Amino acid sequence: MAKAKTQELAHFNVRGIVQGVGFRPFVYGLATKHNVKGWVCNTSEDVKIEVEGEAEAIEQFYLELQTKAPPLAHIEDVTISYHPPIGYKKFEIRHSTVAAGKYQLISPDIATCQACLSELLNPNDRRYRYPFTNCTNCGPRFTIIEDMPYDRPKTTMRGFRMCPQCQAEYDNPRDRRFHAQPNACPQCGPRVELVDAQGDAIACSDAIASASQLLKEGKIVAVKGLGGFLLACNASSETAVKTLRKRKKRSSKPFAIMVTDMDEVKKHCYVSPKEEKLLTSPQSPIVLMKWRDDASVSREVAPDLQYLGVMLPYTPLHHILLRDTGLPLVMTSGNLSEEPIAKDNDEALRRLSGIADYFLIHNRDIYSCYDDSVTMVERGTSQLVRRARSYAPYPIHLTFKARQVLGCGAEMKSTFCLTRDNYAFLSQHIGDMENVETLEHFDNTISLYRRLFRIEPEIIACDFHPDYLSTKYAQELSESGIKLIPVQHHHAHIVSCMVDNRLETPVIGVAFDGTGLGDDRYIWGGEFLVADYQGFSRVGHLEYLPLPGGDAAIKRPYRTAIGYILSLLGEDTLNALIVGTAKQPQLAFRAKVSELETEIIKRQIERGLNTPLTSSTGRLFDAISALIGIRNEIDYEGQAAVELEMAAYACHCEEHSDEAISSDEESYPYGIIADKGMKIVQLGDLLSAIIEDLTQGISPGRISLKFHDTIAKMTNEMCQLIADETGINQVALSGGVFQNRLLLRKTIKLLGNSGFQVFTHRQVPCNDGGISLGQVVVANFAK
């Protein structure tokens, strides 16, 4: 007689992204495969599973639970406990349960999967050309969720009752649409509609086909997407792109484009294997890639730039639209410059009717608006430039258990961050905090995150700068009795890079950006810190130079250049450059600047009137850009510095390898002095040498390349001096200046050759989009 096999009952708690990703049907299938009985259930903190069966079957079930989970699931922790069997007769999926104060990680929105795309393009499928096709492996998630657990009544799909066929899919544990909360079809789901700028419906049998025809005719169409409206036009039409620029009041800031597939991408850009993998990933972000000279995309899409932002369709609506037009399309945020993206139909008609000729709208509401994420690939690793759709709200993992803290970020490229347990929930890109609309979006999104992740902040962190809207917001919140901790801007930058790389020991932090208020009340931005989570010491910086007119100098870099020349080389040199001599060329921007303005700038500097002192690397790039005739006034943040970088690439326009651009090692002179223990980089010799090169007729591109080499060399030398004193060999690079790919490559190469371990950002942007992460970590360790 055969011996009875041992029966066991095992209880599992599974944490991570395990809701809305097909995890319960996966568990059901595993249970069936291994002939175990019991149940699986979503809760507001995890997925709970109880299985009863033979010990060997449960062991295999446990193994495959961790190793064969659905592609979008991300298991972070599984706990298991064993109990006496109770005699389950079947395996079932139970209704979700809610527990007060508990929370669950939430999946970001995911690009259309191949199975859904096949249905979408199959004339014999009932979802043929249906723009809301989705399943548990793809489609909207965070943008439609109002609360957890993730069930249809708590999403913006609650108003759409499923037809019998969709309900059967939803109820079938073996179907990939089992409990897919946005599940729908043409019979029961959301619908698209084409309207004009007045909101009047356009009579047509196929709204997407009609919109595609309008795009072919050169019209601008506002398209409602996953996280808000995008403004679309024919990217190959210079006229259409110029019209969009004029109406959107965005004269030269680059647009992104969307194309049908990878074959089309390769017609416009040079694509590395890593870039292709990123483009075709479930996140489907915008990827910045080298632009081909023979591309059909109008140069008006990204004027004077060598890189083009490209993304593939990530919703069924986009797939249909791109295939119908057969064109590369500009796809840019549906807003006027500096405003939040429009997400509701009525709102879009009100705010965008002066920009778009037509609107492709639908009746599935967007609960949380999102911009597209922007990425680049450097040294074979993807780096986020803007973290939004398909990345947020996935958390950054912390190496410590955090208190519940809110970080309010800075002003430009604003984000916020909330912590609890081992998670830092960094928000999507909010925008520049310069108007009431953005502040309202900021406040609403904080409320959503607090509700979803059950966070009640006990500490609020903010930037040092008292005039930032984010700082004022934090101060108002703190009036209720919550502790307020201001965090220095560049310390937050370095700590965000440390967290990104899971570093816990002190680093040499190199923070290069445009603006950040220092603890001496000057404007910092060329900083060398010794930092950890608890604090920092400023051990070096670029010398302080005047910023005549403050913000006026940022918008008109020639003012910065005049201020730097006057301070470093004296009034006689400035006057000679203004007039021009046989020995010295006239300033490239001389014709743009009146004698009166020049005299005003001189007097401002002389008397210190609205002329803050700055150590900013970003402002140094601006000054050099203006000095050598590349950019005198800017239309968007960082434009002068970006075009200075592009000029360096132009020296090697026949080359397409990164190594070709990085190989030069000519540089300009500079000085490093010690003043009361502070290492200060002196820039007078550098400026003199650049002016001498101009006199010798050296091209702006060659000067730019030498300048980049100089900044990389100076950074390496400063880090070596600091390492000699501290013994630290870890260097963290942060701040928006390190979005400059040429500078980043050169700096990493030199530091690596000097024996340093170099750390850069990956999961969060190096620009101010990562500041809030640094703030919350510093606040967690504040005493």
Side-chain angles (χ1 to χ4, degrees), residues 215-358:
L215 288 164
K216 291 179 187 178
E217 294 170 5
K219 303 298 184 184
I220 297 169
V221 179
V223 180
K224 189 175 183 180
L226 269 181
F229 278 81
L230 297 175
L231 292 163
C233 75
N234 179 359
S236 300
S237 167
E238 184 174 318
T239 301
V241 177
K242 282 185 172 180
T243 299
L244 178 56
R245 287 200 174 280
K246 182 178 179 181
R247 293 182 186 176
K248 191 173 161 67
K249 299 179 182 178
R250 183 166 165 168
S251 57
S252 54
K253 188 175 182 179
F255 290 137
I257 67 166
M258 182 180 284
V259 299
T260 307
D261 53 30
M262 279 307 307
D263 288 341
E264 185 72 14
V265 174
K266 291 174 182 177
K267 292 178 183 177
H268 304 293
C269 296
Y270 297 96
V271 186
S272 71
K274 293 283 187 179
E275 287 167 337
E276 181 168 350
K277 184 177 180 181
L278 191 55
L279 282 163
T280 56
S281 70
Q283 289 73 37
S284 192
I286 296 168
V287 182
L288 300 173
M289 296 174 293
K290 290 178 183 174
W291 201 345
R292 295 181 65 98
D293 290 337
D294 58 352
S296 64
V297 171
S298 167
R299 292 286 151 175
E300 284 295 318
V301 169
D304 301 314
L305 301 186
Q306 299 278 331
Y307 290 94
L308 182 64
V310 183
M311 59 182 157
L312 292 174
Y314 55 84
T315 73
L317 190 155
H318 293 144
H319 279 286
I320 301 168
L321 189 68
L322 267 293
R323 282 166 171 76
D324 283 0
T325 60
L327 297 168
L329 297 178
V330 167
M331 283 283 185
T332 188
S333 301
N335 56 4
L336 278 171
S337 292
E338 314 311 331
E339 290 182 357
I341 187 171
K343 70 180 181 70
D344 300 321
N345 295 339
D346 291 344
E347 174 196 7
L349 286 163
R350 184 178 70 253
R351 289 173 51 198
L352 305 179
S353 60
I355 305 176
D357 300 304
Y358 295 90

Side-chain angles (χ1 to χ4, degrees), residues 361-491:
I361 63 176
H362 60 72
N363 59 343
R364 185 180 71 197
D365 289 340
I366 297 167
Y367 193 75
S368 183
C369 64
Y370 268 65
D371 285 285
D372 292 312
S373 293
V374 181
T375 62
M376 64 182 189
V377 175
E378 275 301 316
R379 298 173 300 127
T381 302
S382 65
Q383 298 184 19
L384 280 159
V385 177
R386 182 171 74 193
R387 186 178 189 268
R389 173 186 56 78
S390 295
Y391 290 90
Y394 189 71
I396 308 301
H397 290 70
L398 303 174
T399 57
F400 59 93
K401 187 167 184 178
R403 291 182 283 180
Q404 297 193 14
V405 179
L406 167 64
C408 293
E411 183 173 60
M412 308 301 288
K413 299 176 173 60
S414 178
T415 62
F416 63 83
C417 190
L418 286 156
T419 57
R420 70 169 295 178
D421 300 327
N422 295 101
Y423 300 126
F425 295 98
L426 182 64
S427 77
Q428 70 267 36
H429 169 82
I430 301 293
D432 295 344
M433 293 279 279
E434 296 179 335
N435 53 58
V436 173
E437 293 83 1
T438 306
L439 181 61
E440 184 178 311
H441 174 34
F442 182 79
D443 182 49
N444 290 340
T445 312
I446 287 175
S447 297
L448 174 63
Y449 274 62
R450 287 177 61 176
R451 182 169 69 252
L452 292 176
F453 301 117
R454 312 302 195 246
I455 295 174
E456 291 297 330
E458 58 190 271
I459 300 172
I460 301 172
C462 66
D463 195 89
F464 265 16
H465 204 300
D467 295 332
Y468 286 173
L469 276 179
S470 59
T471 302
K472 293 178 179 178
Y473 177 89
Q475 289 169 340
E476 286 185 18
L477 279 185
S478 71
E479 290 174 1
S480 64
I482 305 174
K483 185 178 181 180
L484 179 66
I485 298 178
V487 178
Q488 201 281 320
H489 190 89
H490 300 95
H491 185 207

Side-chain angles (χ1 to χ4, degrees), residues 69-127:
L72 300 184
H74 187 90
I75 296 174
E76 298 197 343
D77 182 60
V78 181
T79 60
I80 183 171
S81 58
Y82 292 93
H83 308 273
I86 57 178
Y88 287 119
K89 301 300 182 186
K90 62 179 181 178
F91 192 88
E92 62 181 343
I93 297 173
R94 292 184 173 179
H95 291 297
S96 301
T97 63
V98 179
K102 303 297 184 179
Y103 70 99
Q104 175 63 274
L105 300 185
I106 300 172
S107 170
D109 297 48
I110 298 298
T112 306
C113 70
Q114 283 301 312
C116 285
L117 183 59
S118 296
E119 293 172 343
L120 183 75
L121 303 179
N122 181 359
N124 297 318
D125 194 279
R126 73 188 188 95
R127 289 187 173 89

